[in-house]
Amino acid sequence: MTEHLASLWQSLAATLDDVMPILGILVGFQVLVLRRPIANLRQVAYGFLLVLLGLAFFLEGLERALFPLGRLMAEQLTDPAFLGLERADTATLSDWRSHGWVYLFAFATGFATTIAEPSLIAVAIKANQVSGGTIGIWGLRLAVAVGVAIGITLGSMRIITGTPLHYYIIGGYVLVLIQTGFAPRAIIPLAYDSGGVTTSTVTVPLVAALGLGLSSHIPGRSPLIDGFGLIAFASLFPMMTVMAYAQLSEWHAGRRQRR
Amino acid sequence: MKALWIQFLGSFADSARDFAPIVLVIAFFQVMVLGEAIPHLVEVLWGGFLVVFGLTLFVQGLKLGVFPIGETMAWDFARKGSLPWLLAFAFALGFSTTVAEPALIAVAEEAAKVASAGGSIGDTAGAREDYAEGLRYTVALSVGFAIVVGVLRILRGWPVQYLIIGGYLGVVVMTAFAPKEIVGIAYDSGGVTTSTITVPLVTALGVGLASSIEGRNPLIDGFGLIAFASLTPMIFVMGYGILR
């Protein structure tokens, strides 16, 4: 029991470290520059307290329940022993077709962690408010989650095949720019934002473990050089899926109107 | 009081639903694919409860505290009409929320290992620490810069695509010149810098600014700050790799 409390306390302290500079800036500018009393000060302070406690519990729970299991799993699924192979069997190990379970795991983890990502929930709530309800909270979150899932799956394939990262990323940029020309104008800033938002507290540790596991087990890959890049994939593809989501719903609405 | 409880239970159920997919994925792979039982089940259940409870509090706190403060401060800055102070605020917010970000600290340490393995810095703990710290400040600087430019964009009403295309070009050009081993880290540093508290706050700031200025649409002009803030770190980190 005391051990649980101690580690909960540690998470709280770590969250405090994270929140303090932000609070300092907010209070500093409010008091020294804006010099206006904050409306509903008590409610706002209570809100910040909830955010602080909530994040601490959230992180503590992830560290207890999810991350150890997820990391172990990423490690086991990428281990040659799981495929019943010898380490020396480099030809089969570097063949991207041998790793079906890894792709399924990458896809499923990418999707599921994104659904639980708190900052994405925040942006979806705001977008829903601002758009007067036309952008659905769930529509946006699902679109982003599918994007992250595709991104991480492709990213794992890239680690296995060893193709240079920048080919994919630059190619992805070109696609994003082309799609920007066709997507409804109102979704574009939100789509771009969803790229950066998605990779946060829940996704990064699990995805990093997957990249590390893959790059240390595939022959010829180095965890230091090839282990990176999954996050970049995960922030690229949501832009495309969110724009696609808007294009689809526009097309759907257009069809319904014509009828 | 009773209504409060019902509302709390409702949001608790929402959070449980948000967390359920991960639980299913992990359980499926553990039991069906790897064929093992879930270890320390009680511990895992307790952790799951903490996650759901924490998420519930967090979302409540966003609505009560973070969103309102971000938006009222944006309105107050707009009413005050002082551009230098607004930009100073934007920079401070970007810089300070990034420099202490745990994910960034972890990435910077990894990057230092890569650099010393690649021979671009000495193979001592001191050299690695210097390198990691330099990298951390570089990224924080780049996020501060991005929020400043992003705020200017909202004020002036520039379309977000122009900034993003410019940023992409920067990334492509820098990729050609940057040392090969830094490219992966640079690309990843874009995604990891925006933390769970920064995102809602910066979003509220953008939306607040866009709605306080006449002729700006909060949906078209208010979003986009995060996008630019995840692009500039890539450019700055590759620049750091070239200069070091």
Side-chain angles (χ1 to χ4, degrees):
Chain A
M1 195 61 212
T2 44
E3 181 249 344
H4 277 216
L5 277 180
S7 81
L8 194 61
W9 179 246
Q10 261 176 11
S11 298
L12 193 63
T15 319
L16 256 179
D17 273 355
D18 228 21
V19 178
M20 268 327 191
I22 303 175
L23 265 185
I25 298 238
L26 292 181
V27 171
F29 273 85
Q30 190 72 42
V31 172
L32 299 175
V33 179
L34 292 172
R35 299 212 191 97
R36 291 175 67 91
I38 300 174
N40 305 324
L41 183 61
R42 287 179 67 172
Q43 181 209 310
V44 169
Y46 176 60
F48 265 88
L49 183 71
L50 287 186
V51 163
L52 189 72
L53 288 176
L55 264 187
F57 287 143
F58 187 72
L59 293 176
E60 173 71 12
L62 287 180
E63 207 48 71
R64 282 201 171 261
L66 200 67
F67 288 164
L69 215 54
R71 289 197 188 108
L72 192 68
M73 212 168 269
E75 167 74 15
Q76 283 175 328
L77 283 175
T78 51
D79 196 318
F82 168 70
L83 293 172
L85 294 171
E86 292 296 317
R87 248 166 210 291
D89 190 0
T90 49
T92 328
L93 273 181
S94 359
D95 188 344
W96 62 274
R97 280 164 299 192
S98 328
H99 298 274
W101 284 118
V102 169
Y103 304 141
L104 188 65
F105 181 71
F107 192 90
T109 322
F111 183 88
T113 52
T114 307
I115 292 291
E117 202 62 83
S119 36
L120 179 61
I121 300 180
V123 168
I125 293 175
K126 204 79 229 170
N128 180 265
Q129 256 174 31
V130 168
S131 68
T134 38
I135 297 174
I137 295 186
W138 275 99
L140 184 69
R141 285 172 67 192
L142 288 176
V144 174
V146 169
V148 174
I150 297 174
I152 296 186
T153 314
L154 270 181
S156 327
M157 272 186 199
R158 182 202 73 89
I159 293 182
I160 294 167
T161 55
T163 13
L165 173 65
H166 56 269
Y167 292 177
Y168 289 85
I169 301 297
I170 295 174
Y173 283 171
V174 173
L175 282 179
V176 167
L177 289 183
I178 294 174
Q179 210 179 354
T180 303
F182 296 98
R185 207 162 75 89
I187 199 75
I188 290 169
L190 189 62
Y192 287 172
D193 264 3
S194 51
V197 163
T198 46
T199 44
S200 195
T201 345
V202 199
T203 318
V204 171
L206 283 183
V207 165
L210 184 65
L212 204 69
L214 269 178
S215 53
S216 48
H217 289 309
I218 305 293
R221 302 286 168 278
S222 126
L224 281 185
I225 293 175
D226 302 293
F228 292 95
L230 280 179
I231 310 286
F233 269 89
S235 11
L236 182 61
F237 282 82
M239 300 195 219
M240 300 184 207
T241 47
V242 170
M243 284 195 269
Y245 158 68
Q247 284 170 304
L248 278 178
S249 34
E250 199 187 49
W251 177 75
H252 193 72
R255 230 174 51 148
R256 222 183 308 170
Q257 250 172 17
R258 250 176 281 141
R259 245 183 237 163
Chain B
M1 194 61 210
K2 203 179 160 199
L4 256 174
W5 267 108
I6 291 173
Q7 192 222 3
F8 176 81
L9 284 180
S11 26
F12 191 82
D14 283 348
S15 303
R17 192 192 47 202
D18 293 337
F19 188 57
I22 309 189
V23 175
L24 290 179
V25 169
I26 298 277
F28 172 78
F29 274 89
Q30 184 76 8
V31 177
M32 306 298 285
V33 181
L34 295 168
E36 286 166 40
I38 298 200
H40 317 295
L41 192 59
V42 177
E43 180 95 357
V44 169
L45 286 177
W46 165 240
F49 170 78
L50 281 181
V51 167
V52 174
F53 184 60
L55 198 56
T56 314
L57 295 188
F58 178 79
V59 173
Q60 287 290 319
L62 278 186
K63 291 178 183 161
L64 291 176
V66 178
F67 283 157
I69 195 84
E71 279 182 42
T72 41
M73 284 187 84
W75 278 93
D76 287 348
F77 270 113
R79 198 174 309 148
K80 192 175 166 66
S82 156
L83 184 64
W85 276 120
L86 174 58
L87 295 184
F89 176 67
F91 183 84
L93 200 62
F95 186 88
S96 71
T97 55
T98 311
V99 85
E101 171 67 26
L104 176 62
I105 296 176
V107 166
E109 279 166 9
E110 286 299 309
K113 278 186 216 154
V114 175
S116 94
S120 47
I121 57 169
D123 193 18
T124 62
R128 277 195 293 269
E129 241 164 65
D130 280 353
Y131 186 89
E133 200 175 82
L135 190 68
R136 220 147 53 86
Y137 281 102
T138 310
V139 173
L141 215 64
S142 72
V143 174
F145 168 77
I147 307 280
V148 167
V149 177
V151 163
L152 270 177
R153 181 206 125 226
I154 297 177
L155 299 181
R156 300 274 181 266
W158 304 327
V160 70
Q161 295 93 300
Y162 295 171
L163 282 190
I164 301 295
I165 293 174
Y168 282 173
L169 281 179
V171 171
V172 173
V173 170
M174 293 304 266
T175 305
F177 294 103
K180 217 181 102 225
E181 64 273 7
I182 198 120
V183 170
I185 297 157
Y187 284 8
D188 271 6
S189 68
V192 296
T193 47
T194 43
S195 80
T196 316
I197 306 166
T198 321
V199 167
L201 197 59
V202 167
T203 306
L205 178 76
V207 168
L209 269 180
S211 31
S212 65
I213 298 167
E214 213 171 316
R216 298 282 171 276
N217 175 335
L219 191 57
I220 293 180
D221 302 297
F223 289 92
L225 283 174
I226 308 286
F228 200 53
S230 24
L231 204 50
T232 49
M234 303 193 204
I235 303 172
F236 277 55
V237 169
M238 286 191 271
Y240 184 73
I242 294 172
L243 293 177
R244 279 303 286 253

